[in-house]
Amino acid sequence: MTVQPYSLFSDFDIYLFRSGKHTRLYEKFGSHKVEVGGVSGVYFSVWAPTATEVSVIGNFNQWNSFSHQLVGRWDQSGIWEGFIPGLDFGEVYKYGIRTNTGILLEKADPYALCFEKALQAGSVVCTTWHEWEDKDWMQNRAKYNSLGSPMSVYEVHLGSWMRDPGNPERYLSYGEIADKLVPYLKAMNFTHVELMPIMEYPYDPSWGYQITGFYAATNRFGSPQELMYLISELHKNNIGVFLDWVPSHFPGDANGLHRFDGSFLYEHEDPRKGFHPDWKSYIFNYGRPEVKSFLISNAIFWLDRYHADGLRVDAVTSMLHLDYSRNEGEWEPNIYGTNVNLEAKQFLQDFNIAVYGEFPDVQTIAEESSDFPRLTKPVHEDGIGFGMKWMMGWMHDTLDYFKEDPINRKYHHNKITFTSVYMYNENYMMPLSHDEVVHGKSSLIYKMPGDEWQKFANLRAMYVYMFTNPGAKLLFMGDEIAQTNEWNFTTSLDWHLLEYPIHKNLQNFVRDLNLLYKSHPALYEQQFSPNGYEWVNADDRDNSIFIYLRKSKEDKEVIMTVLNLTPNSFDYRIGVEKDSKWEVILNSDDAKYSGSGIEANVSQELKEGWDNRENSIILRLPPLSGLVLKQSKIAKPVAKKIKINKNKNKLR
């Protein structure tokens, strides 16, 4: 059983790889079960341009680096390859890479589809073949993923959403998660789920953001096919799947990408560009074409093989800024003297061109916290090309405002109104993410001021504000039940809280908010267009009142949101259009949501103008509440038809 010459690469593949334009390297690199000359075995290929020799090592050869040495290609591509007959799925292997200084490194396969369960895990020969059952979703997902469709995302960490009740130390499998998560999301009316990184990672406290197996689904919860089953079940229930994707950095584990062949291969050699001081990790060299091909192929891989409906790209701010988390003197400006990482910018543009070129019905979403311009504008208009961007400014301003005691909120009124100044600069997703409920920041419910009743009332009002503002929505798991503890990745969510009516009623409220959002085109049809939003009253800081309209196309539907963010209840005058009639369709203070039960009724309809509108209404405002009203027009009297004698041109 020796290595035989064999290759999956064409000359064109090599050209695309070396020019940074290959988008499906996973079909070529890695381990592939093939048949050569009627003999079954496994083909291996790896990129290690400065290595002096590369071998496949594993149990099959007692981890002997001299036994099965691969052949270096003749074309200076730096690729080593070969066919080993007799090997099969399930074989554990690594590459033995001898550096130009004579050191032997044992590295996992960068393109491995599976890893073994070990800290310095080896790669496993496996397959991503699967019989999918989500044809209807895939054929129609352009509608569900459209920027003009409702998009309410539930962010999930699979290891801590729910554990085995009988053994809290045990993870549920992908299949067990499917049995519980899919009906839950459907009952809660979420449209999409976002899975925190499910690529293989060695260190649990990284939550999956320090990846060693970029092409491997983590084996914590099962096989690739079991993950595909979970995604297929979600799709069969019309729930889209976004995956967290981390092209920003990787850890320095001995079996990983760091100094892969003894050289700075995947990471930038200059530590000012290649080392992340916060995360003690290594930053990809975005200017190296082969690295760009690796990353873009990785993005395409998850969309292609796993039917993902979008990628939420982590830490984009750190990629685009040369001075991110660096002091003066620790970074070097670009050729224009600015702090923009031009190579990372070009990479992200190329990534978005490739993704939307092959999968026009998916979404790419940037987690980006600066004011970097034109992130969601097309690349041909000098944009970066993302579909959406997390609205980090909204998140921080909103939480800062709601943390304030209501008596002080009038001094922070602009934290709510300022959002409207920039809300259409980009296509925004409004996130209340995992980052806001860890590291001593407290859970969302404990960010709210006041006693228990006030905390829940504030949280419900904040959710009304979120779900009726323009933009897609994202809510981290546990926020829908008012999880009291900070998120802990080592344990299940505190599902026992649902035994208490106030928590159960909040869950019901989020369910109803999702349904409201999905059911009313005014709330989503123009969520990225200024035509879909209008202030009615943005200036009543003394009463901490905010009133705004949401509109569908051609104003076929108009929704009004009224926020009373003080604990006072009173009648309030609101300007409305002539001949319009208004009905309250959601009241966060309803007793069924554990509110005070004060009815929010339109007590008077006046022909007198107010708020620069022809008519006005008097509305009862419950305390610390969010109200949603729907407009209907009063039917005008139909004029009596008059018959005309055409011959005499007279009225009859």
Side-chain angles (χ1 to χ4, degrees), residues 569-613:
S569 177
F570 46 87
D571 291 327
Y572 197 80
R573 188 173 181 179
I574 301 171
V576 297
E577 297 299 330
K578 185 179 180 181
D579 295 331
S580 65
K581 200 171 186 65
W582 292 88
E583 173 193 4
V584 176
I585 57 175
L586 185 134
N587 174 6
S588 70
D589 191 54
D590 198 307
K592 67 181 179 180
Y593 303 131
S594 295
S596 66
I598 293 178
E599 291 190 21
N601 291 327
V602 177
S603 59
Q604 296 183 59
E605 297 173 346
L606 307 173
K607 298 295 184 181
E608 303 167 10
W610 198 257
D611 293 329
N612 296 314
R613 286 164 171 78

Side-chain angles (χ1 to χ4, degrees), residues 101-166:
T101 61
I103 297 173
L104 180 67
L105 304 175
E106 295 187 355
K107 292 288 189 177
D109 188 342
Y111 291 85
L113 303 177
C114 300
F115 274 55
E116 65 174 343
K117 293 181 179 179
L119 187 61
Q120 292 297 326
S123 306
V124 180
V125 179
C126 71
T127 178
T128 54
W129 184 88
H130 183 65
E131 287 191 21
W132 286 89
E133 298 179 353
D134 62 350
K135 182 178 179 180
D136 287 346
W137 169 271
M138 296 298 285
Q139 289 179 340
N140 294 289
R141 75 172 174 184
K143 176 180 70 175
Y144 298 112
N145 268 1
S146 163
L147 293 178
S149 296
M151 202 170 295
S152 180
V153 184
Y154 188 65
E155 185 187 23
V156 172
H157 179 263
L158 290 181
S160 58
W161 179 70
M162 187 178 290
R163 296 275 183 106
D164 181 350

Side-chain angles (χ1 to χ4, degrees), residues 539-642:
D539 300 322
D540 190 355
R541 63 177 59 243
D542 288 336
N543 290 303
S544 297
I545 299 290
F546 303 89
I547 306 173
Y548 50 87
L549 303 177
R550 296 295 309 283
K551 302 177 180 181
S552 65
K553 291 180 179 178
E554 300 175 356
D555 293 358
K556 289 182 179 178
E557 182 183 62
V558 181
I559 296 290
M560 179 192 294
T561 298
V562 183
L563 302 174
N564 172 25
L565 302 181
T566 71
N568 304 315
S569 177
F570 46 87
D571 291 327
Y572 197 80
R573 188 173 181 179
I574 301 171
V576 297
E577 297 299 330
K578 185 179 180 181
D579 295 331
S580 65
K581 200 171 186 65
W582 292 88
E583 173 193 4
V584 176
I585 57 175
L586 185 134
N587 174 6
S588 70
D589 191 54
D590 198 307
K592 67 181 179 180
Y593 303 131
S594 295
S596 66
I598 293 178
E599 291 190 21
N601 291 327
V602 177
S603 59
Q604 296 183 59
E605 297 173 346
L606 307 173
K607 298 295 184 181
E608 303 167 10
W610 198 257
D611 293 329
N612 296 314
R613 286 164 171 78
E614 290 187 71
N615 292 168
S616 54
I617 59 174
I618 304 298
L619 179 66
R620 186 67 176 176
L621 302 187
L624 293 172
S625 64
L627 306 177
V628 183
L629 296 83
K630 183 178 179 180
Q631 172 185 288
S632 59
K633 290 285 186 181
I634 297 175
K636 295 181 180 179
V638 179
K640 184 178 180 180
K641 291 184 178 180
I642 301 174

Side-chain angles (χ1 to χ4, degrees), residues 254-326:
N255 68 329
L257 297 180
H258 178 49
R259 301 296 297 268
F260 186 76
D261 63 354
S263 71
F264 295 97
L265 192 61
Y266 287 89
E267 65 269 54
H268 203 290
E269 183 174 2
D270 185 344
R272 294 173 296 182
K273 296 181 180 179
F275 181 73
H276 200 295
D278 284 352
W279 305 322
K280 311 303 179 190
S281 56
Y282 297 89
I283 302 170
F284 284 103
N285 184 349
Y286 304 109
R288 188 160 194 170
E290 296 91 343
V291 173
K292 187 184 292 187
S293 288
F294 169 83
L295 287 171
I296 292 177
S297 291
N298 186 242
I300 297 296
F301 169 81
W302 293 101
L303 300 170
D304 172 27
R305 295 288 176 87
Y306 283 86
H307 288 199
D309 303 297
L311 300 172
R312 177 267 194 184
V313 184
D314 184 63
V316 171
T317 310
S318 73
M319 297 171 66
L320 287 171
H321 295 86
L322 294 166
D323 60 345
Y324 183 86
S325 195
R326 299 180 193 274

Side-chain angles (χ1 to χ4, degrees), residues 35 86 100 129 167 181-182 186 195 228 259 282 295 321 329 343 358 371 479 496 596-597:
E35 190 173 290
N100 56 18
W129 184 88
N167 179 11
L181 181 62
V182 174
K186 191 170 183 179
L195 303 181
M228 293 172 187
R259 301 296 297 268
Y282 297 89
L295 287 171
H321 295 86
E343 293 173 343
E358 297 201 34
D371 57 355
D479 290 343
H496 66 273
S596 66

